[in-house]
Amino acid sequence: MVKHGGFYQEQKGLNLPQYGLSYYLHILPSHRVRQREGEPAHFYLQQSLSSFRPRPSSVPKANSTVTEFLFEGFSSFGWQHRIVFFVVFLTLYLLTLSGNVIIVTIIRLDHHLHTPMYFFLSILSISETCYTVAIILRMLSDLLSPHQCIATQGCATQLFFYLTFGINDCFLLIVMGYDCYVAICNPLRYSIIMSKRSCVYLASGSLGIGLSMAIVQVTSVFGLPFCDAFIISHFFCDVRPLLKLACTDTTVNEIINFVVSVCVLILPMGLVFISYVLIISTILKIASAEGRKKAFATCASHLTVVIIHYGCTSIIYLKPKSQSSLGQDRLLSVIYTVITPLLNPVVYSLRNKEVKDALCRAVGGKLPL
């Protein structure tokens, strides 16, 4: 009985970890067992492997390093369900992409939106677009053809861009919270504090933090040996599923992952919470009800996005390892890689009067250039 990629396999006279993934994928087509509808990919692979005996001369050396991975993803679902998922996820992806493109275009063309708040919103939209491209395109491909491998270099690249833009989003939300704080709590000095140079520095700093933390995580994970298991129990390359495949002790790597998660989630959430405590206390001191309503509307969209964004990611990356379920993590990952990026343009376009007015001017052909 061999633990392999998160499941157990029993082979008669065949020790699966002795052979490389490329070897199996090249020799299996002529020895396949018919896959039943709804049968998981790993069970299908197990049955296929048990139907043949490899030639001794063609068998790779035992304990060879894994050079390719296979996503378990949605392979446990039948092809009808996968087609439905494909259509749904593709629709959501196209809506997200078009929403972000519209927001960036409107902000670029309408001079009424040439303010720090909308500058950061356009950067967030671009970052969200890159983030979804890194994950969703590969996921859509795997829904149509669930037995494709990904090279370790490709997996590392996907993880790098996923972490870079995901962490960049987290720190951009802090910057946008700071912008709201200055606008409401220190309005007389707003133009000085949030100058064009300051905005560029803040946006560049967010991306720099994302790049540096992504390099730390990718180096930490792919510095580990992957000797036997090659099936990733996820639909993209993420840190925790990869650590489960390593054939060595991963305690240090898990500590690094936890520290990075705290720096990316707990500290930003704390700063955003403090800023909103100060913002709300300032709003409550405003004499007129209309003034209070206008001040709160300035930050309502940002607060909504913050709650949605940090809610899902905190549940996955901050819960104890003993309570970690890859199945639950996969479901939550669908929410924050497919659904959450769609909510950002929706929230900022439907709840923001200035963006709606800019859209109306654009549609009416009265967009000032």
Side-chain angles (χ1 to χ4, degrees), residues 35-173:
Q35 183 181 14
R36 299 184 183 89
E37 182 178 332
E39 190 176 76
H42 56 74
F43 182 74
Y44 170 56
L45 179 60
Q46 172 186 343
Q47 294 297 103
S48 301
L49 287 168
S50 64
S51 68
F52 75 98
R53 292 294 179 268
R55 298 176 184 176
S57 59
S58 63
V59 176
K61 295 180 180 180
N63 298 323
S64 59
T65 302
V66 169
T67 58
E68 294 172 310
F69 294 105
L70 190 66
F71 293 120
E72 185 175 337
F74 301 93
S75 60
S76 59
F77 294 90
W79 67 269
Q80 298 98 328
H81 293 96
R82 292 201 304 272
I83 290 296
V84 172
F85 291 153
F86 176 84
V87 172
V88 171
F89 293 157
L90 178 61
T91 303
L92 293 175
Y93 171 69
L94 293 177
L95 289 173
T96 302
L97 185 62
S98 58
N100 285 325
V101 169
I102 290 171
I103 284 181
V104 172
T105 304
I106 289 295
I107 292 173
R108 173 67 182 85
L109 296 179
D110 194 326
H111 70 80
H112 292 97
L113 302 182
H114 290 180
T115 63
M117 174 182 174
Y118 294 106
F119 168 74
F120 294 129
L121 176 57
S122 63
I123 299 297
L124 179 66
S125 297
I126 294 171
S127 180
E128 288 279 13
T129 300
C130 297
Y131 172 83
T132 53
V133 167
I135 303 299
I136 296 181
L137 293 182
R138 174 70 199 211
M139 181 182 70
L140 292 173
S141 175
D142 286 338
L143 282 169
L144 295 179
S145 182
H147 303 301
Q148 300 179 74
C149 337
I150 182 169
T152 52
Q153 296 91 338
C155 189
T157 301
Q158 185 186 54
L159 180 62
F160 173 77
F161 285 110
Y162 161 71
L163 291 174
T164 297
F165 293 111
I167 295 172
N168 181 45
D169 290 350
C170 291
F171 283 92
L172 277 175
L173 290 174

Side-chain angles (χ1 to χ4, degrees), residues 14 42 48-49 103 128 158 175 193 210 231 240 249 255 285 314 356:
L14 179 65
H42 56 74
S48 301
L49 287 168
I103 284 181
E128 288 279 13
Q158 185 186 54
V175 171
I193 296 173
I231 297 184
R240 278 192 172 179
D249 181 61
I255 292 173
K285 294 176 184 177
S314 298
K356 286 191 288 186

Side-chain angles (χ1 to χ4, degrees), residues 193-339:
I193 296 173
M194 301 303 296
S195 65
K196 183 176 291 187
R197 177 178 293 183
S198 298
C199 292
V200 172
Y201 284 161
L202 289 170
S204 301
S206 298
L207 182 58
I209 293 172
L211 285 168
S212 58
M213 289 193 172
I215 290 171
V216 169
Q217 283 279 59
V218 172
T219 304
S220 167
V221 171
F222 285 91
L224 296 170
F226 298 96
C227 307
D228 301 328
F230 58 83
I231 297 184
I232 300 175
S233 298
H234 214 323
F235 58 87
F236 67 94
C237 293
D238 200 1
V239 176
R240 278 192 172 179
L242 285 168
L243 290 180
K244 291 180 181 292
L245 300 185
C247 54
T248 187
D249 181 61
T250 59
T251 302
V252 174
N253 305 83
E254 288 164 2
I255 292 173
I256 293 173
N257 184 47
F258 180 76
V259 170
V260 170
S261 299
V262 169
C263 293
V264 171
L265 296 174
I266 296 296
L267 294 181
M269 281 193 294
L271 292 173
V272 171
F273 175 77
I274 292 171
S275 68
Y276 271 99
V277 168
L278 297 173
I279 288 170
I280 292 172
S281 65
T282 302
I283 290 175
L284 293 176
K285 294 176 184 177
I286 298 175
S288 66
E290 183 65 26
R292 289 195 297 269
K293 182 179 178 181
K294 184 177 180 181
F296 184 74
T298 303
C299 301
S301 300
H302 174 259
L303 183 59
T304 304
V305 171
V306 164
I307 292 172
I308 294 170
H309 181 86
Y310 286 118
C312 291
T313 51
S314 298
I315 292 172
I316 294 178
Y317 292 106
L318 295 179
K319 67 181 178 181
K321 184 182 176 182
S322 58
Q323 298 178 12
S324 179
S325 166
L326 289 177
Q328 294 176 357
D329 289 354
R330 207 176 308 170
L331 176 61
L332 289 169
S333 296
V334 169
I335 294 175
Y336 78 77
T337 56
V338 180
I339 299 175

